[in-house]
């Protein structure tokens, strides 16, 4: 019993008596007992109003009946005259202005009487009563007319009254006389009542006799409403005008900002204008001007640099952008993760509550998370914390591990583990079985990993310190790989506001290049044949598509992986389109998390499944690859980051090598037709351009300087040379192309020496190292074009080629000797032939 | 990751026996696979054979830690248990001592345990016996050496030291860098 402890000051305890002390309500008396009071009571205002309403209804009904009668009559065989007269009468009735004075005197109380009567009846009043009342009333009306307007005669009566028996009344004098008697009685009664009421209503009635008070009130009300509406409309117009009035600030105003409040107001205004641009824009201003203004204002107000703000504006619609920026100013709630190796969430929560910590489960989606609202003790130094019962971890950091869904006895790699939060989560889910490799590139930070692992009681882990990109060389065959890649941190601006000002295009490029390489390395580390796994989870704490969707898209093209649902039932879908980019449609399966919608750090999670360990040969990619390549080379050249470049080239070359090997195995038998195919290409070659050559030479030099890779570099250089001559710039990257080129050259020389003289010049400038190429590596290059050639053609071509080879062996040698003296290419060709 | 020398193995096991007695056997003969002790830069790691095989693929220069670090050999070739070994010592230790909540914080800052902070103590604890220190809610928070026997504790002065501090979980924060 008793109330729950209220640790939260924000929730107030209700005051006053509790539920059980409820008071006895006031007694309720029966209607009958109260009747005396009500009878003597004067009518309340409401009652009067109701009565008036009823009267009006009645009057309306009568009129309706009249008109109905009229219609009937018309239909019946009444002559026109009669009808016209009746109409006139009816109108008389309606207007009730044609009465003589004497009539008026006794007519008035009658009208008054109607409501009064009803009022008296109102206490028992039912809808059923009304009819009878109406009959009575109509009777009364009859009498009025009979007596007052005798001259009108029968026709009038027939016209005004609807009921049949009333018609009969006229015909039967007796009945009418009876009626009269009744009416007079009524009149007496009514006159009495009128005396009571007349004091207040009489004057008005005289003004417009037939107008009921309710009608008047109605008219008044209508007038009032009209007026109000008019005013409201005017106001609205005014408002619109005001919005419209948002004046685009002048140059001077922009140069001399007054205060942040003004800037904030202007942001709001511009956002509203942009939300309904067509209507609210200032004449002669384009959307660009508004967005530029908004950009500047947002930069000043939230202190971002313009580049980052521009990028953010491209991601979010304006309204959402402001929300995002606001949310990025506020820190996310502190969350902790229960270490399920040592304790249970309920026990931990109880222990912490006893220490004066106010907390709650983080949500239905997690069984280990707790949100800490307030605490009287430092949450990172309680004995529970030191004993490893929990770890401080952002809610968003649970997501990649949940997506990874580790199983017991698996081998799992966390590539960028420091400080070990996610890795220890993995170990906890695995229950300390299997093997967990926690890698981080930063040696200092690995200490935190070790500390956390020991504190949390993780015993199945190996902590190592490699560059993630080299990891496939160390150990492969993991069942699952988690890559929480280093990023610009645009999702955690609340944690680290320096992101706002320090990031620029170069940083982002550097980041996503690294991320791409890391992701490829992570995929290579994974074992597709694993019975339980073969999954890779890629996550970043950035919201930029360049670092997320684009990176995943890149990996999709280069490795045998596919996207699978992350298993997270919330979060927004990843982008499929972003500006000029069109990503693979399955990128919908990735998940994005934003600070303003999910109240956690901005985050991105993608889950990939590897379906084959084979590394597909690298292929040209119109936009991505070239861009990336260019960026990389330029960037590294500028920054002098020789280290990273070496590493990147390393990894690339590894990839190339492996692919080459594989393709050798598969494509040996089909080399011949390829030769045929290449012929036309060669013939189409344009004359060599001096520029190309120069560039190539430069490249070659650069690459030759690097250790280890001389051979392959020269290969690629050669390939670049030739392919560029062919006008196929796409082929630049692949090493296979180089071999292809070699072949082309050879054949070109062999087949048609004369037209190819220009072509020969370029190989002439190739470095000597080309010679060292083992001829076998040439084969794989032809994979791609094979499909285009039919079998018959292949066979024919091969035959022809063989013949030609035999015939022209000598010739070619001679030609070569004539044209390019001291050309190393010659040697190459000879070697090939021998083969 | 190299195998411990004969002598070092002896020193290590002597030390461990001080804390967990005959239960040392349980560390070696485990139902869930073979476990072994390996040395790396004077640090001793307790690691399962399976994991060891995997860890051996990593270059020694790049390997930071594997399994659980038990402690290190000092320059004078003595073995010092680290707090990281608590995971294995705590469940096997026959002699324990419980501290009152008011004295927890004192111990976690590296102080000895005095009589006034003593909550409970295992019966028949001999002098200079290695003991595991626990909170009243049975969370192990460190270990030390008993300064007095259980019997002596009863009659001790309230400010008398009962347990000499050796390691406590506060070290995870105080000396994260030197842990491993």
């Amino acid at each position: 019993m008793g109330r729950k402890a209220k640790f939260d000051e924000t929730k107030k305890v209700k005051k006053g008596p509790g539920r059980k002390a409820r008071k006895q309500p006031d007694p309720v008396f029966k209607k009958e007992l109260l009747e005396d009071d009500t009878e003597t009571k004067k009518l309340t205002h409401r009652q009067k109003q109701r009565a008036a309403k009823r009267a009006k209804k009645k009057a309306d009904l009568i009129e309706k009946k009249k008109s109905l009668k009229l219609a009937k009559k018309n239909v019946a065989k009444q002559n026109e005259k009669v009808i016209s007269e009746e109409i006139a009468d009816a109108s008389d009735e309606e207007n009730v202005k044609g009465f003589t004075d004497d009539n008026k005197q006794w007519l008035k109380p009658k009208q008054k009487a109607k409501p009064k009567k009803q009022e008296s009846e109102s206490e028992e009043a039912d809808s059923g009563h009304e009819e009878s009342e109406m009959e009575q009333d109509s009777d009364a009306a009859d009498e009025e007319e009979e007596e007052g307007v005798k001259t009108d005669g029968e026709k009038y009566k027939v016209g005004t009254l609807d009921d049949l028996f009333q018609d009969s009344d006229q015909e039967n004098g007796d009945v009418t006389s009876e009626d009269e008697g009744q009416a007079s009685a009524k009149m007496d009664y009514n006159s009495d009542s009128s005396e009571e009421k007349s004091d207040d209503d009489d004057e008005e009635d005289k003004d417009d006799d037939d107008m009921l008070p309710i009608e008047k009130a109605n008219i008044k009300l209508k007038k009032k409403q009209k007026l109000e509406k008019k005013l409201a409309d005017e106001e609205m117009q005014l408002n619109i005008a005001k919005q419209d009035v948002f004046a685009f600030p002048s140059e001077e105003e922009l140069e001399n900002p007054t205060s942040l409040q003004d800037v904030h107001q202007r942001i709001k205004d511009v956002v509203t204008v942009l939300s309904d641009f067509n209507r609210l824009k200032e004449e002669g201003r384009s959307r660009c001007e508004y967005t530029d203004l908004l950009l500047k204002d947002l930069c000043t107000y939230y202190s971002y640099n313009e580049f980052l703000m521009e990028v953010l504006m491209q991601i979010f619609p304006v309204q959402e952008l402001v929300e995002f920026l606001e949310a990025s100013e506020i820190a996310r709630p502190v969350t902790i993760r229960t270490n399920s190796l040592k304790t249970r969430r309920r026990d931990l929560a109880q222990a912490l509550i006893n220490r004066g910590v106010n907390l709650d489960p983080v949500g239905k989606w997690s069984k280990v998370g707790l949100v800490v609202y307030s605490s009287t003790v430092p949450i990172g130094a309680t004995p529970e914390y030191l004993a490893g019962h929990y770890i401080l971890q952002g809610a968003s950091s649970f997501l990649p591990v949940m997506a990874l869904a580790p199983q017991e006895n698996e081998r799992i790699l966390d590539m960028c583990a420091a400080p070990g939060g996610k890795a220890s989560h993995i170990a906890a889910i695995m229950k300390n079985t299997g093997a967990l490799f926690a890698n981080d590139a930063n040696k200092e930070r690995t200490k935190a990993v070790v500390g956390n692992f020991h504190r949390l009681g993780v015993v199945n882990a190996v902590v190592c310190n490699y560059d993630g990109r080299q990891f496939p060389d160390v150990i492969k065959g993991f069942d699952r790989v988690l890559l929480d890649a280093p990023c610009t941190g645009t999702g955690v601006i609340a944690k680290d506001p320096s992101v706002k000002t320090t990031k620029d295009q170069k940083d982002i490029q550097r980041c996503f290049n690294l991320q791409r390489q890391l992701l490829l390395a992570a995929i290579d580390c994974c074992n597709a044949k694993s019975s339980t796994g073969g999954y890779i989870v890629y996550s970043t704490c950035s919201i930029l598509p360049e670092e997320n969707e684009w990176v995943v898209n890149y990996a999709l093209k280069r490795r045998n992986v596919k996207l699978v649902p992350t298993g997270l039932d919330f979060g927004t879908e990843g982008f499929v389109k972003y500006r000029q980019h069109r990503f693979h449609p399955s990128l919908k399966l990735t998940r994005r998390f934003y600070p303003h919608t999910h109240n956690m750090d901005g985050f991105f999670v993608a889950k990939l499944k590897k379906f084959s360990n084979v590394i597909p040969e690298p292929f040209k990619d119109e936009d991505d690859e070239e861009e990336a390549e260019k960026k990389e080379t330029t960037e590294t050249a500028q920054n002098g980051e020789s280290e990273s470049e070496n590493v990147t080239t390393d990894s690339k070359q590894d990839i190339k090598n492996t692919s080459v090997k594989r393709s050798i195995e598969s494509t040996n038998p089909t080399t011949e037709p390829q030769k045929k195919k290449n012929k036309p290409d060669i013939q189409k070659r344009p004359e060599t351009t001096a520029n190309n050559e120069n560039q190539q030479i430069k490249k070659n030099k650069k690459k030759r300087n690097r250790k280890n890779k001389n051979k392959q570099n020269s290969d690629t250089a050669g390939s670049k040379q030739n392919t560029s001559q062919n006008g196929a710039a796409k082929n630049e990257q692949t090493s296979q192309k180089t071999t292809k080129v070699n072949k082309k050259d050879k054949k070109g020389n062999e087949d048609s020496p004369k037209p190819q003289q220009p072509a020969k010049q370029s190989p002439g400038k190739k470095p000597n190292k080309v010679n060292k190429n083992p001829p076998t590596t040439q084969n794989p290059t032809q994979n791609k074009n094979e499909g285009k050639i039919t079998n018959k053609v292949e066979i024919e071509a091969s035959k022809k080629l063989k013949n030609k080879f035999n015939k022209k062996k000598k010739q070619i040698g001679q030609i070569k000797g004539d044209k390019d003296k001291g050309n190393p290419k010659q040697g190459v060709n000879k070697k090939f032939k021998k083969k | 990751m190299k195998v411990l020398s004969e002598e070092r193995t002896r020193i290590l096991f002597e030390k461990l026996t001080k804390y967990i007695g005959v239960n040392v056997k349980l560390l070696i003969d485990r139902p869930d696979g073979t476990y072994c002790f390996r040395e790396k830069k004077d640090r001793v790691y307790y690691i399962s054979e399976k994991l060891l095989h995997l860890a051996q693929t990593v270059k020694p220069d790049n390997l930071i830690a594997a399994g659980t670090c038990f402690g290190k050999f000092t320059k004078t070739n003595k073995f010092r248990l680290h707090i990281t070994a608590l995971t294995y010592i705590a469940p096997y230790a026959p002699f324990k001592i419980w501290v009152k909540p008011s004295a927890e914080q004192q111990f976690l800052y590296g102080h000895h345990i005095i009589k006034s902070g003593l909550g409970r103590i295992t019966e028949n604890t001999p002098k200079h016996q290695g003991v595991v220190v626990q909170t009243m809610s049975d969370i192990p928070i460190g270990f030390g050496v008993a300064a007095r026997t259980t019997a002596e504790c009863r009659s001790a002065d309230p400010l008398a030291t009962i347990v000499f501090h050796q390691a406590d979980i506060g070290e995870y924060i105080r000396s994260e860098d030197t842990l491993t």
Side-chain angles (χ1 to χ4, degrees), chain A residues 470-668:
Chain A
Q470 297 163 336
F471 214 85
D473 303 338
V474 181
I475 183 168
K476 283 185 179 180
F478 289 96
D479 296 312
R480 287 162 205 265
V481 182
L482 172 64
L483 173 60
D484 183 34
C487 62
T488 53
T490 45
V492 287
I493 290 170
K495 260 190 210 164
D496 178 17
S498 70
V499 173
K500 289 187 200 172
T501 47
T502 54
K503 300 295 173 196
D504 61 359
Q505 182 64 41
K506 221 173 248 175
D507 290 307
I508 293 175
Q509 274 175 13
R510 207 171 289 148
C511 262
F512 72 67
N513 274 318
L514 177 65
Q515 285 159 351
R516 285 171 171 191
Q517 290 157 13
L518 282 172
L519 183 54
L520 291 191
I523 294 170
D524 290 341
C525 284
C526 186
N527 176 21
K529 285 168 188 160
S530 155
S531 57
T532 54
Y535 292 103
I536 299 107
V537 168
Y538 173 79
S539 67
T540 62
C541 55
S542 169
I543 52 162
L544 305 183
E546 285 93 341
E547 297 180 74
N548 299 325
E549 281 87 350
W550 205 10
V551 173
V552 174
N553 196 50
Y554 176 89
L556 284 178
K557 286 180 187 168
R558 269 157 197 79
R559 290 292 182 275
N560 287 327
V561 288
K562 62 181 179 191
L563 278 164
V564 290
T566 54
L568 304 168
D569 51 359
F570 61 111
T572 50
E573 288 177 350
F575 294 145
V576 178
K577 292 180 199 167
Y578 172 64
R579 302 182 65 204
Q580 78 275 20
H581 305 296
R582 295 293 172 270
F583 302 125
H584 193 272
S586 66
L587 273 159
K588 258 203 325 246
L589 297 173
T590 63
R591 282 280 176 275
R592 293 177 148 263
F593 300 89
Y594 296 123
H596 57 287
T597 47
H598 305 101
N599 198 21
M600 48 175 76
D601 295 326
F603 221 75
F604 173 84
V605 180
K607 188 178 187 181
L608 298 155
K609 167 121 177 89
K610 193 174 180 184
F611 55 87
S612 160
N613 279 334
V614 174
I615 298 172
E617 62 182 76
F619 69 104
K620 68 261 172 182
D621 187 11
E622 293 77 24
D623 49 356
D624 288 18
E625 199 154 9
E626 270 177 50
E627 247 174 73
E629 183 79 356
K630 273 180 209 163
K631 279 172 193 167
E632 218 175 85
T633 50
T634 55
E635 195 183 312
T636 47
Q638 284 169 3
N639 299 335
E641 286 181 353
S642 57
E643 257 192 23
S644 65
E645 172 145 31
N646 278 342
V647 173
T648 60
T649 45
D650 267 341
S651 59
K652 276 198 175 168
Q653 244 125 30
D654 290 337
I655 293 158
K656 282 170 194 170
N657 285 341
T658 48
S659 61
V660 166
K661 279 174 206 161
R662 187 182 127 258
S663 44
I664 290 162
E665 293 161 18
S666 59
T667 58
N668 262 340

Side-chain angles (χ1 to χ4, degrees), chain A residues 53-66:
Chain A
K53 213 185 241 174
R54 246 176 265 131
K56 199 201 166 197
K57 209 174 177 185
K58 214 186 292 167
D60 284 347
L61 235 148
I62 290 164
E63 269 177 50
K64 224 187 249 172
K65 278 178 183 171
K66 274 183 199 166

Side-chain angles (χ1 to χ4, degrees), chain A residues 285-299:
Chain A
R285 296 279 181 186
S286 69
R287 199 175 181 96
C288 259
E289 286 171 275
Y290 279 96
T291 47
D292 285 347
L293 176 67
L294 182 64
L295 177 78
K296 268 177 201 147
D297 285 346
L298 287 174
C299 283

Side-chain angles (χ1 to χ4, degrees), chain A residues 22-181:
Chain A
R22 188 172 284 168
K23 270 186 188 170
Q24 197 174 14
D26 292 327
V28 180
F29 298 106
K30 279 185 179 173
K31 248 183 195 173
E32 293 85 348
L33 297 174
L34 296 170
E35 224 171 12
D36 309 18
D37 299 338
T38 51
E39 274 183 347
T40 53
K41 243 187 213 167
K42 259 195 169 184
L43 290 174
T44 61
H45 178 67
R46 288 279 166 90
Q47 276 175 324
K48 278 179 200 167
Q49 277 185 329
R50 256 180 268 137
K53 213 185 241 174
R54 246 176 265 131
K56 199 201 166 197
K57 209 174 177 185
K58 214 186 292 167
D60 284 347
L61 235 148
I62 290 164
E63 269 177 50
K64 224 187 249 172
K65 278 178 183 171
K66 274 183 199 166
S67 58
L68 224 148
K69 189 88 190 193
L70 267 177
K72 268 186 194 169
K73 277 239 162 180
N74 284 342
V75 173
K77 299 124 201 169
Q78 292 286 337
N79 46 15
E80 320 265 48
K81 274 184 192 175
V82 174
I83 294 164
S84 64
E85 269 181 278
E86 277 167 0
I87 290 166
D89 291 335
S91 63
D92 272 8
E93 261 263 302
E94 280 164 20
N95 297 333
V96 205
K97 290 211 169 170
F99 285 122
T100 53
D101 280 342
D102 22 354
N103 278 343
K104 210 177 184 180
Q105 272 178 348
W106 61 267
L107 258 172
K108 230 193 310 168
K110 190 108 209 196
Q111 282 176 335
K112 292 259 89 186
K114 286 175 203 166
K116 170 65 197 174
K117 233 181 177 181
Q118 282 154 10
E119 279 154 16
S120 62
E121 285 167 355
S122 66
E123 267 125 67
E124 318 118 41
D126 288 325
S127 57
H129 277 270
E130 283 186 359
E131 278 187 42
S132 60
E133 274 179 68
M134 268 174 343
E135 280 171 31
Q136 285 179 347
D137 288 333
S138 58
D139 286 4
D142 276 8
E143 266 98 61
E144 288 166 30
E145 285 146 18
E146 271 181 66
E147 289 186 42
V149 200
K150 279 174 188 171
T151 49
D152 281 351
E154 293 171 16
K155 280 166 197 170
Y156 171 77
K157 275 191 178 165
V158 173
T160 48
L161 301 174
D162 42 1
D163 288 331
L164 287 170
F165 73 89
Q166 278 167 348
D167 284 305
S168 65
D169 281 1
Q170 293 176 340
E171 286 158 14
N172 309 332
D174 327 20
V175 185
T176 49
S177 62
E178 276 177 25
D179 277 0
E180 276 178 33

